[in-house]
Amino acid sequence: MPFRPRYTGLIEKYRDRLPVRDDTRVISLGEGNTPLIRLNHIPGDLARGIDLYVKYEGLNPTGSFKDRGMTLAVTKAIEEGSRAVICASTGNTSASAAAYAARAGIRAFVLIPEGKIALGKLAQAMLHGAVVLQIRGNFDVGMRLVKEVAEQAPVTIVNSINPFRLQGQKTAAFEIVEELECAPDYHCLPVGNAGNISAHWLGYREYFEHGIVNNRPVMVGYQASGAAPFLRGAMVDHPETVATAIRIGHPQSWDKAWTVQKESGGWFDECSDEEILAAQRLLAEREGVFCEPASAASLAGALRDARAGRIPEGSKVVCTLTGHGLKDPDIVISQCGERLRTIPAELDAVRRAILDRLE
Ligand code: AN7
């Protein structure tokens, strides 16, 4: 039987396109290589005529796209002799930094907004042994503190202002192109700091400029209405949204993201919390894919723009699902409470409950 070489992570796969040396010690958990799932039911009902895919980044080792950037950021930190990494986070970056630091055998410090991160992410950071510092302030305040403290302490920042993060994350665009054998017409992402949309554009541009593909997508970024600085054209001081991952008012990649918008001919828009939760539920119910609320902003926005004709019929559209739904069980249970029934532990009751629902 012919065996394929074992997949050992995106740095090994894309070594030639990433800033690593032959003797670089790679810190990997097997990230990348995530499924691109073609939606079967949703387009027919809600966005007739578009060819719609989701890139399920929730299947990375710590359950979010952050692992793509973190493998490279921590690999380079080790190469440079760093003994500690630090980040501010709405949750996923802290989980990823904690895991890759553990893998590398170094210390992670994470600053998170008290009470505003999903429980699964908090559990990850704690279990991996990061020093978890809750602050009485939001992500944007934490980010400022991280930048300041990194000038006074020997710690490497692994937020997406670390350029290696975007280099790692650009590989998601490579994978999509390789699988579709072209770039999609539209690529939709949830936007917080706008690192990921900028990283994808780097990847698409690189494959285009190197002649691997002859088209590039229009890049579309969706933010939560209460945290939508790109739509408003100005920073937001008190961001609020149920999608805590993107509860960010002062995006770190502000200029980069506007360049992406201009170069790709794309746009930014907002989704209400209700639209976000409805899209999360729709995807879970109709396609069997469980993403976290922030991730569903990409689908919510794409469906709306397809219905409105802003994304034209016949388009090939990819939505990035940035994080796994299991990160944030609380929000789901609070939304779907009516689906939980308690019945007596008796055959009759079980049979009746089944027959009721089969009519
Ligand atoms: C699920 O973890 O910023 O636009 O500190 O966790 O690249 O910031 C998370 C961001 C989208 C936005 N979806 O990505 C953090 C953090 C999920 C996220 C985003 C995040 P960027």
mmCIF file of all heavy atoms in Angstrom, residues 63-66 87-95 111 121 139 159-160 165-166 169 189-199 223 230 244-248 251-253 292-296 320-324 327, ligand 1:
data_model
loop_
_atom_site.group_PDB
_atom_site.id
_atom_site.type_symbol
_atom_site.label_atom_id
_atom_site.label_comp_id
_atom_site.label_asym_id
_atom_site.label_seq_id
_atom_site.Cartn_x
_atom_site.Cartn_y
_atom_site.Cartn_z
ATOM 1 N N GLY A 63 -8.127 24.934 18.197
ATOM 2 C CA GLY A 63 -9.501 25.287 17.852
ATOM 3 C C GLY A 63 -9.683 26.637 17.202
ATOM 4 O O GLY A 63 -10.811 27.126 17.121
ATOM 5 N N SER A 64 -8.606 27.255 16.717
ATOM 6 C CA SER A 64 -8.780 28.496 15.968
ATOM 7 C C SER A 64 -7.634 28.713 14.982
ATOM 8 O O SER A 64 -6.590 28.054 15.066
ATOM 9 C CB SER A 64 -8.881 29.719 16.896
ATOM 10 O OG SER A 64 -7.594 30.216 17.226
ATOM 11 N N PHE A 65 -7.868 29.667 14.076
ATOM 12 C CA PHE A 65 -6.868 29.999 13.046
ATOM 13 C C PHE A 65 -5.575 30.550 13.631
ATOM 14 O O PHE A 65 -4.550 30.614 12.945
ATOM 15 C CB PHE A 65 -7.446 31.039 12.072
ATOM 16 C CG PHE A 65 -7.581 32.425 12.650
ATOM 17 C CD1 PHE A 65 -6.600 33.374 12.438
ATOM 18 C CD2 PHE A 65 -8.681 32.789 13.406
ATOM 19 C CE1 PHE A 65 -6.701 34.664 12.976
ATOM 20 C CE2 PHE A 65 -8.802 34.060 13.954
ATOM 21 C CZ PHE A 65 -7.805 34.999 13.733
ATOM 22 N N LYS A 66 -5.618 30.958 14.893
ATOM 23 C CA LYS A 66 -4.431 31.584 15.494
ATOM 24 C C LYS A 66 -3.217 30.655 15.448
ATOM 25 O O LYS A 66 -2.079 31.115 15.422
ATOM 26 C CB LYS A 66 -4.707 31.955 16.945
ATOM 27 C CG LYS A 66 -5.908 32.841 17.158
ATOM 28 C CD LYS A 66 -5.652 34.264 16.748
ATOM 29 C CE LYS A 66 -6.886 35.117 16.998
ATOM 30 N NZ LYS A 66 -6.718 36.496 16.553
ATOM 31 N N CYS A 87 0.911 38.137 25.182
ATOM 32 C CA CYS A 87 -0.104 38.684 24.279
ATOM 33 C C CYS A 87 -1.250 39.261 25.096
ATOM 34 O O CYS A 87 -1.456 38.892 26.247
ATOM 35 C CB CYS A 87 -0.645 37.600 23.337
ATOM 36 S SG CYS A 87 -1.540 36.270 24.163
ATOM 37 N N ALA A 88 -1.978 40.169 24.451
ATOM 38 C CA ALA A 88 -3.314 40.539 24.923
ATOM 39 C C ALA A 88 -4.260 39.729 24.069
ATOM 40 O O ALA A 88 -3.934 39.409 22.936
ATOM 41 C CB ALA A 88 -3.560 42.027 24.715
ATOM 42 N N SER A 89 -5.435 39.401 24.613
ATOM 43 C CA SER A 89 -6.283 38.526 23.812
ATOM 44 C C SER A 89 -7.744 38.596 24.199
ATOM 45 O O SER A 89 -8.088 38.766 25.368
ATOM 46 C CB SER A 89 -5.793 37.082 23.944
ATOM 47 O OG SER A 89 -6.590 36.221 23.163
ATOM 48 N N THR A 90 -8.589 38.416 23.189
ATOM 49 C CA THR A 90 -10.009 38.187 23.443
ATOM 50 C C THR A 90 -10.264 36.695 23.677
ATOM 51 O O THR A 90 -11.405 36.289 23.793
ATOM 52 C CB THR A 90 -10.859 38.686 22.273
ATOM 53 O OG1 THR A 90 -10.431 38.011 21.074
ATOM 54 C CG2 THR A 90 -10.714 40.192 22.071
ATOM 55 N N GLY A 91 -9.219 35.890 23.686
ATOM 56 C CA GLY A 91 -9.359 34.485 24.056
ATOM 57 C C GLY A 91 -8.573 33.516 23.194
ATOM 58 O O GLY A 91 -7.787 32.720 23.702
ATOM 59 N N ASN A 92 -8.772 33.555 21.889
ATOM 60 C CA ASN A 92 -8.137 32.543 21.046
ATOM 61 C C ASN A 92 -6.622 32.688 20.963
ATOM 62 O O ASN A 92 -5.898 31.689 20.963
ATOM 63 C CB ASN A 92 -8.746 32.561 19.645
ATOM 64 C CG ASN A 92 -10.063 31.813 19.609
ATOM 65 O OD1 ASN A 92 -10.217 30.791 20.269
ATOM 66 N ND2 ASN A 92 -11.019 32.318 18.840
ATOM 67 N N THR A 93 -6.149 33.916 20.892
ATOM 68 C CA THR A 93 -4.694 34.103 20.850
ATOM 69 C C THR A 93 -4.060 33.593 22.138
ATOM 70 O O THR A 93 -2.997 32.962 22.120
ATOM 71 C CB THR A 93 -4.338 35.591 20.631
ATOM 72 O OG1 THR A 93 -4.942 36.019 19.411
ATOM 73 C CG2 THR A 93 -2.838 35.801 20.549
ATOM 74 N N SER A 94 -4.735 33.830 23.259
ATOM 75 C CA SER A 94 -4.163 33.380 24.535
ATOM 76 C C SER A 94 -4.117 31.857 24.600
ATOM 77 O O SER A 94 -3.132 31.276 25.073
ATOM 78 C CB SER A 94 -4.945 33.958 25.720
ATOM 79 O OG SER A 94 -6.255 33.466 25.770
ATOM 80 N N ALA A 95 -5.155 31.207 24.096
ATOM 81 C CA ALA A 95 -5.172 29.735 24.098
ATOM 82 C C ALA A 95 -4.039 29.196 23.230
ATOM 83 O O ALA A 95 -3.325 28.260 23.602
ATOM 84 C CB ALA A 95 -6.517 29.233 23.586
ATOM 85 N N LEU A 111 -2.846 38.545 28.752
ATOM 86 C CA LEU A 111 -3.735 39.538 29.357
ATOM 87 C C LEU A 111 -5.105 39.421 28.700
ATOM 88 O O LEU A 111 -5.214 39.517 27.465
ATOM 89 C CB LEU A 111 -3.204 40.965 29.134
ATOM 90 C CG LEU A 111 -2.293 41.525 30.225
ATOM 91 C CD1 LEU A 111 -0.947 40.821 30.166
ATOM 92 C CD2 LEU A 111 -2.112 43.033 30.060
ATOM 93 N N LYS A 121 -11.804 29.032 26.115
ATOM 94 C CA LYS A 121 -10.513 29.679 25.838
ATOM 95 C C LYS A 121 -9.757 29.938 27.140
ATOM 96 O O LYS A 121 -8.533 29.750 27.222
ATOM 97 C CB LYS A 121 -10.747 31.002 25.092
ATOM 98 C CG LYS A 121 -11.543 30.825 23.802
ATOM 99 C CD LYS A 121 -11.930 32.156 23.167
ATOM 100 C CE LYS A 121 -12.894 31.924 22.003
ATOM 101 N NZ LYS A 121 -13.325 33.170 21.369
ATOM 102 N N PHE A 139 -9.874 44.462 25.409
ATOM 103 C CA PHE A 139 -8.713 44.009 24.645
ATOM 104 C C PHE A 139 -7.791 45.169 24.277
ATOM 105 O O PHE A 139 -6.562 45.067 24.368
ATOM 106 C CB PHE A 139 -9.157 43.295 23.358
ATOM 107 C CG PHE A 139 -8.016 43.081 22.404
ATOM 108 C CD1 PHE A 139 -7.187 41.980 22.527
ATOM 109 C CD2 PHE A 139 -7.722 44.025 21.410
ATOM 110 C CE1 PHE A 139 -6.099 41.801 21.677
ATOM 111 C CE2 PHE A 139 -6.638 43.858 20.561
ATOM 112 C CZ PHE A 139 -5.825 42.748 20.695
ATOM 113 N N ASN A 159 1.107 38.790 19.576
ATOM 114 C CA ASN A 159 -0.097 39.295 18.895
ATOM 115 C C ASN A 159 0.223 39.467 17.412
ATOM 116 O O ASN A 159 1.383 39.359 17.007
ATOM 117 C CB ASN A 159 -0.538 40.640 19.499
ATOM 118 C CG ASN A 159 -1.258 40.442 20.817
ATOM 119 O OD1 ASN A 159 -0.680 40.645 21.884
ATOM 120 N ND2 ASN A 159 -2.517 40.049 20.739
ATOM 121 N N SER A 160 -0.802 39.793 16.615
ATOM 122 C CA SER A 160 -0.574 39.821 15.161
ATOM 123 C C SER A 160 0.248 41.026 14.707
ATOM 124 O O SER A 160 0.556 41.148 13.525
ATOM 125 C CB SER A 160 -1.901 39.736 14.409
ATOM 126 O OG SER A 160 -2.778 40.750 14.825
ATOM 127 N N ARG A 165 3.358 36.227 12.642
ATOM 128 C CA ARG A 165 1.977 35.737 12.754
ATOM 129 C C ARG A 165 1.290 35.790 11.377
ATOM 130 O O ARG A 165 0.677 34.824 10.926
ATOM 131 C CB ARG A 165 1.195 36.606 13.754
ATOM 132 C CG ARG A 165 1.417 36.252 15.236
ATOM 133 C CD ARG A 165 0.537 35.068 15.671
ATOM 134 N NE ARG A 165 -0.839 35.272 15.268
ATOM 135 C CZ ARG A 165 -1.737 36.010 15.932
ATOM 136 N NH1 ARG A 165 -1.413 36.573 17.080
ATOM 137 N NH2 ARG A 165 -2.965 36.157 15.485
ATOM 138 N N LEU A 166 1.405 36.914 10.699
ATOM 139 C CA LEU A 166 0.714 37.047 9.406
ATOM 140 C C LEU A 166 1.333 36.132 8.364
ATOM 141 O O LEU A 166 0.634 35.576 7.511
ATOM 142 C CB LEU A 166 0.730 38.501 8.921
ATOM 143 C CG LEU A 166 0.062 39.537 9.833
ATOM 144 C CD1 LEU A 166 -0.213 40.829 9.054
ATOM 145 C CD2 LEU A 166 -1.223 39.040 10.471
ATOM 146 N N GLN A 169 -0.184 32.816 8.910
ATOM 147 C CA GLN A 169 -1.608 32.790 8.591
ATOM 148 C C GLN A 169 -1.898 32.890 7.090
ATOM 149 O O GLN A 169 -2.965 32.489 6.636
ATOM 150 C CB GLN A 169 -2.345 33.899 9.370
ATOM 151 C CG GLN A 169 -2.511 33.524 10.839
ATOM 152 C CD GLN A 169 -2.961 34.663 11.745
ATOM 153 O OE1 GLN A 169 -2.518 34.749 12.875
ATOM 154 N NE2 GLN A 169 -3.838 35.545 11.263
ATOM 155 N N LEU A 189 -14.393 37.231 5.710
ATOM 156 C CA LEU A 189 -13.843 36.908 7.035
ATOM 157 C C LEU A 189 -14.440 37.811 8.112
ATOM 158 O O LEU A 189 -14.751 38.979 7.842
ATOM 159 C CB LEU A 189 -12.332 37.139 7.084
ATOM 160 C CG LEU A 189 -11.436 36.317 6.199
ATOM 161 C CD1 LEU A 189 -10.947 37.149 5.039
ATOM 162 C CD2 LEU A 189 -10.250 35.784 6.983
ATOM 163 N N PRO A 190 -14.504 37.271 9.347
ATOM 164 C CA PRO A 190 -14.789 38.153 10.474
ATOM 165 C C PRO A 190 -13.537 38.984 10.761
ATOM 166 O O PRO A 190 -12.424 38.484 10.625
ATOM 167 C CB PRO A 190 -15.065 37.185 11.629
ATOM 168 C CG PRO A 190 -14.412 35.905 11.261
ATOM 169 C CD PRO A 190 -14.302 35.867 9.761
ATOM 170 N N VAL A 191 -13.746 40.231 11.146
ATOM 171 C CA VAL A 191 -12.605 41.125 11.364
ATOM 172 C C VAL A 191 -12.624 41.687 12.777
ATOM 173 O O VAL A 191 -13.639 42.212 13.240
ATOM 174 C CB VAL A 191 -12.629 42.273 10.328
ATOM 175 C CG1 VAL A 191 -11.661 43.377 10.722
ATOM 176 C CG2 VAL A 191 -12.291 41.744 8.944
ATOM 177 N N GLY A 192 -11.477 41.546 13.450
ATOM 178 C CA GLY A 192 -11.275 42.169 14.751
ATOM 179 C C GLY A 192 -10.105 43.134 14.633
ATOM 180 O O GLY A 192 -10.256 44.313 14.316
ATOM 181 N N ASN A 193 -8.897 42.607 14.826
ATOM 182 C CA ASN A 193 -7.692 43.413 14.596
ATOM 183 C C ASN A 193 -7.322 43.522 13.129
ATOM 184 O O ASN A 193 -6.412 44.258 12.761
ATOM 185 C CB ASN A 193 -6.515 42.803 15.356
ATOM 186 C CG ASN A 193 -6.530 43.188 16.818
ATOM 187 O OD1 ASN A 193 -6.544 44.376 17.137
ATOM 188 N ND2 ASN A 193 -6.565 42.211 17.691
ATOM 189 N N ALA A 194 -7.980 42.710 12.304
ATOM 190 C CA ALA A 194 -7.758 42.693 10.850
ATOM 191 C C ALA A 194 -6.417 42.076 10.457
ATOM 192 O O ALA A 194 -5.954 42.256 9.333
ATOM 193 C CB ALA A 194 -7.915 44.089 10.242
ATOM 194 N N GLY A 195 -5.826 41.318 11.363
ATOM 195 C CA GLY A 195 -4.608 40.595 11.016
ATOM 196 C C GLY A 195 -4.896 39.489 10.007
ATOM 197 O O GLY A 195 -4.150 39.303 9.038
ATOM 198 N N ASN A 196 -5.977 38.769 10.222
ATOM 199 C CA ASN A 196 -6.231 37.597 9.393
ATOM 200 C C ASN A 196 -6.603 37.967 7.960
ATOM 201 O O ASN A 196 -6.141 37.346 7.013
ATOM 202 C CB ASN A 196 -7.329 36.740 10.042
ATOM 203 C CG ASN A 196 -7.206 35.280 9.690
ATOM 204 O OD1 ASN A 196 -6.108 34.785 9.407
ATOM 205 N ND2 ASN A 196 -8.321 34.575 9.702
ATOM 206 N N ILE A 197 -7.415 38.998 7.809
ATOM 207 C CA ILE A 197 -7.790 39.410 6.440
ATOM 208 C C ILE A 197 -6.529 39.907 5.712
ATOM 209 O O ILE A 197 -6.330 39.625 4.525
ATOM 210 C CB ILE A 197 -8.931 40.465 6.463
ATOM 211 C CG1 ILE A 197 -9.576 40.590 5.071
ATOM 212 C CG2 ILE A 197 -8.471 41.834 6.956
ATOM 213 C CD1 ILE A 197 -10.883 41.395 5.065
ATOM 214 N N SER A 198 -5.648 40.572 6.445
ATOM 215 C CA SER A 198 -4.399 41.054 5.843
ATOM 216 C C SER A 198 -3.489 39.879 5.477
ATOM 217 O O SER A 198 -2.844 39.884 4.417
ATOM 218 C CB SER A 198 -3.666 41.987 6.817
ATOM 219 O OG SER A 198 -4.514 43.050 7.218
ATOM 220 N N ALA A 199 -3.451 38.868 6.336
ATOM 221 C CA ALA A 199 -2.607 37.698 6.078
ATOM 222 C C ALA A 199 -3.113 36.921 4.859
ATOM 223 O O ALA A 199 -2.321 36.469 4.025
ATOM 224 C CB ALA A 199 -2.595 36.789 7.306
ATOM 225 N N GLN A 223 -17.721 42.910 10.633
ATOM 226 C CA GLN A 223 -17.526 43.162 12.055
ATOM 227 C C GLN A 223 -18.874 43.131 12.764
ATOM 228 O O GLN A 223 -19.922 43.261 12.133
ATOM 229 C CB GLN A 223 -16.886 44.542 12.251
ATOM 230 C CG GLN A 223 -15.555 44.679 11.531
ATOM 231 C CD GLN A 223 -14.687 45.756 12.136
ATOM 232 O OE1 GLN A 223 -14.902 46.929 11.894
ATOM 233 N NE2 GLN A 223 -13.714 45.342 12.939
ATOM 234 N N PHE A 230 -14.109 49.655 11.263
ATOM 235 C CA PHE A 230 -13.847 49.797 9.826
ATOM 236 C C PHE A 230 -15.071 50.359 9.104
ATOM 237 O O PHE A 230 -14.935 51.182 8.199
ATOM 238 C CB PHE A 230 -13.410 48.466 9.206
ATOM 239 C CG PHE A 230 -11.991 48.124 9.541
ATOM 240 C CD1 PHE A 230 -11.681 47.165 10.487
ATOM 241 C CD2 PHE A 230 -10.936 48.819 8.935
ATOM 242 C CE1 PHE A 230 -10.364 46.871 10.813
ATOM 243 C CE2 PHE A 230 -9.611 48.537 9.259
ATOM 244 C CZ PHE A 230 -9.332 47.561 10.200
ATOM 245 N N THR A 244 -17.503 37.709 21.550
ATOM 246 C CA THR A 244 -16.414 38.302 22.343
ATOM 247 C C THR A 244 -15.058 38.244 21.632
ATOM 248 O O THR A 244 -14.209 39.094 21.880
ATOM 249 C CB THR A 244 -16.296 37.609 23.720
ATOM 250 O OG1 THR A 244 -16.219 36.185 23.523
ATOM 251 C CG2 THR A 244 -17.494 37.940 24.593
ATOM 252 N N ALA A 245 -14.876 37.275 20.749
ATOM 253 C CA ALA A 245 -13.589 37.162 20.037
ATOM 254 C C ALA A 245 -13.274 38.423 19.231
ATOM 255 O O ALA A 245 -12.107 38.777 19.046
ATOM 256 C CB ALA A 245 -13.598 35.950 19.110
ATOM 257 N N ILE A 246 -14.322 39.083 18.746
ATOM 258 C CA ILE A 246 -14.096 40.281 17.915
ATOM 259 C C ILE A 246 -14.613 41.549 18.618
ATOM 260 O O ILE A 246 -15.005 42.518 17.982
ATOM 261 C CB ILE A 246 -14.710 40.129 16.497
ATOM 262 C CG1 ILE A 246 -16.161 39.659 16.543
ATOM 263 C CG2 ILE A 246 -13.865 39.153 15.673
ATOM 264 C CD1 ILE A 246 -16.856 39.661 15.178
ATOM 265 N N ARG A 247 -14.557 41.531 19.931
ATOM 266 C CA ARG A 247 -14.931 42.705 20.728
ATOM 267 C C ARG A 247 -13.692 43.605 20.805
ATOM 268 O O ARG A 247 -12.999 43.700 21.802
ATOM 269 C CB ARG A 247 -15.377 42.228 22.112
ATOM 270 C CG ARG A 247 -15.961 43.285 23.014
ATOM 271 C CD ARG A 247 -16.522 42.609 24.267
ATOM 272 N NE ARG A 247 -16.833 43.572 25.320
ATOM 273 C CZ ARG A 247 -15.981 43.981 26.242
ATOM 274 N NH1 ARG A 247 -14.743 43.538 26.263
ATOM 275 N NH2 ARG A 247 -16.368 44.850 27.168
ATOM 276 N N ILE A 248 -13.400 44.245 19.661
ATOM 277 C CA ILE A 248 -12.162 45.006 19.484
ATOM 278 C C ILE A 248 -12.519 46.333 18.822
ATOM 279 O O ILE A 248 -13.208 46.344 17.796
ATOM 280 C CB ILE A 248 -11.167 44.202 18.597
ATOM 281 C CG1 ILE A 248 -10.717 42.933 19.329
ATOM 282 C CG2 ILE A 248 -9.959 45.061 18.194
ATOM 283 C CD1 ILE A 248 -10.000 41.916 18.452
ATOM 284 N N PRO A 251 -8.412 48.349 16.035
ATOM 285 C CA PRO A 251 -7.712 47.273 15.309
ATOM 286 C C PRO A 251 -6.236 47.587 15.092
ATOM 287 O O PRO A 251 -5.877 48.702 14.714
ATOM 288 C CB PRO A 251 -8.444 47.225 13.964
ATOM 289 C CG PRO A 251 -9.726 47.930 14.176
ATOM 290 C CD PRO A 251 -9.499 48.936 15.252
ATOM 291 N N GLN A 252 -5.408 46.577 15.335
ATOM 292 C CA GLN A 252 -3.961 46.765 15.217
ATOM 293 C C GLN A 252 -3.507 46.846 13.761
ATOM 294 O O GLN A 252 -2.493 47.448 13.455
ATOM 295 C CB GLN A 252 -3.229 45.634 15.948
ATOM 296 C CG GLN A 252 -3.495 45.620 17.449
ATOM 297 C CD GLN A 252 -3.001 46.874 18.131
ATOM 298 O OE1 GLN A 252 -1.861 47.281 17.947
ATOM 299 N NE2 GLN A 252 -3.867 47.518 18.909
ATOM 300 N N SER A 253 -4.235 46.195 12.852
ATOM 301 C CA SER A 253 -3.818 46.213 11.439
ATOM 302 C C SER A 253 -4.706 47.161 10.626
ATOM 303 O O SER A 253 -5.137 46.838 9.513
ATOM 304 C CB SER A 253 -3.850 44.795 10.853
ATOM 305 O OG SER A 253 -2.851 43.997 11.449
ATOM 306 N N GLU A 292 -17.734 29.194 16.335
ATOM 307 C CA GLU A 292 -18.054 30.134 17.405
ATOM 308 C C GLU A 292 -18.746 31.371 16.825
ATOM 309 O O GLU A 292 -18.704 31.604 15.613
ATOM 310 C CB GLU A 292 -16.805 30.487 18.209
ATOM 311 C CG GLU A 292 -15.740 31.276 17.497
ATOM 312 C CD GLU A 292 -14.657 31.738 18.477
ATOM 313 O OE1 GLU A 292 -14.934 32.687 19.232
ATOM 314 O OE2 GLU A 292 -13.545 31.169 18.489
ATOM 315 N N PRO A 293 -19.399 32.174 17.681
ATOM 316 C CA PRO A 293 -20.180 33.302 17.158
ATOM 317 C C PRO A 293 -19.384 34.230 16.231
ATOM 318 O O PRO A 293 -19.852 34.556 15.134
ATOM 319 C CB PRO A 293 -20.638 34.032 18.427
ATOM 320 C CG PRO A 293 -20.762 32.936 19.445
ATOM 321 C CD PRO A 293 -19.620 32.001 19.137
ATOM 322 N N ALA A 294 -18.191 34.640 16.638
ATOM 323 C CA ALA A 294 -17.412 35.565 15.800
ATOM 324 C C ALA A 294 -17.258 35.011 14.391
ATOM 325 O O ALA A 294 -17.374 35.743 13.397
ATOM 326 C CB ALA A 294 -16.043 35.817 16.418
ATOM 327 N N SER A 295 -17.003 33.732 14.284
ATOM 328 C CA SER A 295 -16.780 33.108 12.981
ATOM 329 C C SER A 295 -18.001 33.223 12.090
ATOM 330 O O SER A 295 -17.885 33.373 10.865
ATOM 331 C CB SER A 295 -16.447 31.624 13.156
ATOM 332 O OG SER A 295 -15.406 31.453 14.067
ATOM 333 N N ALA A 296 -19.163 33.125 12.700
ATOM 334 C CA ALA A 296 -20.410 33.135 11.930
ATOM 335 C C ALA A 296 -20.679 34.487 11.285
ATOM 336 O O ALA A 296 -21.512 34.585 10.380
ATOM 337 C CB ALA A 296 -21.583 32.732 12.823
ATOM 338 N N THR A 320 -14.376 32.192 5.958
ATOM 339 C CA THR A 320 -13.509 31.588 6.965
ATOM 340 C C THR A 320 -14.263 31.462 8.279
ATOM 341 O O THR A 320 -14.809 32.445 8.784
ATOM 342 C CB THR A 320 -12.243 32.432 7.185
ATOM 343 O OG1 THR A 320 -11.479 32.424 5.981
ATOM 344 C CG2 THR A 320 -11.388 31.849 8.306
ATOM 345 N N LEU A 321 -14.283 30.230 8.800
ATOM 346 C CA LEU A 321 -14.823 29.996 10.144
ATOM 347 C C LEU A 321 -13.626 29.924 11.073
ATOM 348 O O LEU A 321 -12.928 28.914 11.157
ATOM 349 C CB LEU A 321 -15.625 28.698 10.178
ATOM 350 C CG LEU A 321 -16.801 28.644 9.200
ATOM 351 C CD1 LEU A 321 -17.509 27.300 9.314
ATOM 352 C CD2 LEU A 321 -17.776 29.791 9.440
ATOM 353 N N THR A 322 -13.384 31.034 11.756
ATOM 354 C CA THR A 322 -12.120 31.243 12.447
ATOM 355 C C THR A 322 -11.916 30.380 13.695
ATOM 356 O O THR A 322 -10.784 30.076 14.058
ATOM 357 C CB THR A 322 -12.013 32.719 12.824
ATOM 358 O OG1 THR A 322 -13.306 33.134 13.329
ATOM 359 C CG2 THR A 322 -11.661 33.581 11.641
ATOM 360 N N GLY A 323 -13.032 30.024 14.360
ATOM 361 C CA GLY A 323 -12.868 29.284 15.613
ATOM 362 C C GLY A 323 -13.954 28.242 15.831
ATOM 363 O O GLY A 323 -15.057 28.339 15.278
ATOM 364 N N HIS A 324 -13.669 27.258 16.643
ATOM 365 C CA HIS A 324 -14.592 26.149 16.907
ATOM 366 C C HIS A 324 -15.703 26.565 17.870
ATOM 367 O O HIS A 324 -15.459 27.298 18.822
ATOM 368 C CB HIS A 324 -13.820 24.975 17.512
ATOM 369 C CG HIS A 324 -14.523 23.668 17.328
ATOM 370 N ND1 HIS A 324 -15.707 23.373 17.954
ATOM 371 C CD2 HIS A 324 -14.241 22.597 16.549
ATOM 372 C CE1 HIS A 324 -16.116 22.164 17.579
ATOM 373 N NE2 HIS A 324 -15.224 21.679 16.722
ATOM 374 N N LYS A 327 -15.617 26.305 21.859
ATOM 375 C CA LYS A 327 -14.938 27.317 22.677
ATOM 376 C C LYS A 327 -15.919 28.025 23.612
ATOM 377 O O LYS A 327 -15.542 28.496 24.658
ATOM 378 C CB LYS A 327 -14.334 28.391 21.765
ATOM 379 C CG LYS A 327 -13.245 27.882 20.838
ATOM 380 C CD LYS A 327 -11.921 28.185 21.420
ATOM 381 C CE LYS A 327 -10.784 27.919 20.457
ATOM 382 N NZ LYS A 327 -9.502 28.221 21.095
HETATM 383 C C1 AN7 B 1 -12.688 33.426 16.370
HETATM 384 O O1 AN7 B 1 -7.691 36.112 20.296
HETATM 385 O O2 AN7 B 1 -7.885 39.023 18.500
HETATM 386 O O3 AN7 B 1 -9.146 40.260 12.511
HETATM 387 O O4 AN7 B 1 -7.017 38.090 20.849
HETATM 388 O O5 AN7 B 1 -10.700 34.802 17.794
HETATM 389 O O6 AN7 B 1 -7.175 38.745 12.749
HETATM 390 O O7 AN7 B 1 -8.096 39.959 14.726
HETATM 391 C C2 AN7 B 1 -9.112 37.069 18.113
HETATM 392 C C3 AN7 B 1 -9.596 37.362 16.896
HETATM 393 C C4 AN7 B 1 -12.002 36.340 14.278
HETATM 394 C C5 AN7 B 1 -10.534 38.293 14.351
HETATM 395 N N1 AN7 B 1 -12.519 35.213 14.752
HETATM 396 O O8 AN7 B 1 -9.322 38.085 13.686
HETATM 397 C C6 AN7 B 1 -7.594 37.318 20.070
HETATM 398 C C7 AN7 B 1 -8.185 37.893 18.843
HETATM 399 C C8 AN7 B 1 -12.087 34.694 15.918
HETATM 400 C C9 AN7 B 1 -11.097 35.357 16.648
HETATM 401 C C10 AN7 B 1 -11.032 37.043 14.951
HETATM 402 C C11 AN7 B 1 -10.572 36.571 16.168
HETATM 403 P P1 AN7 B 1 -8.365 39.337 13.383
#
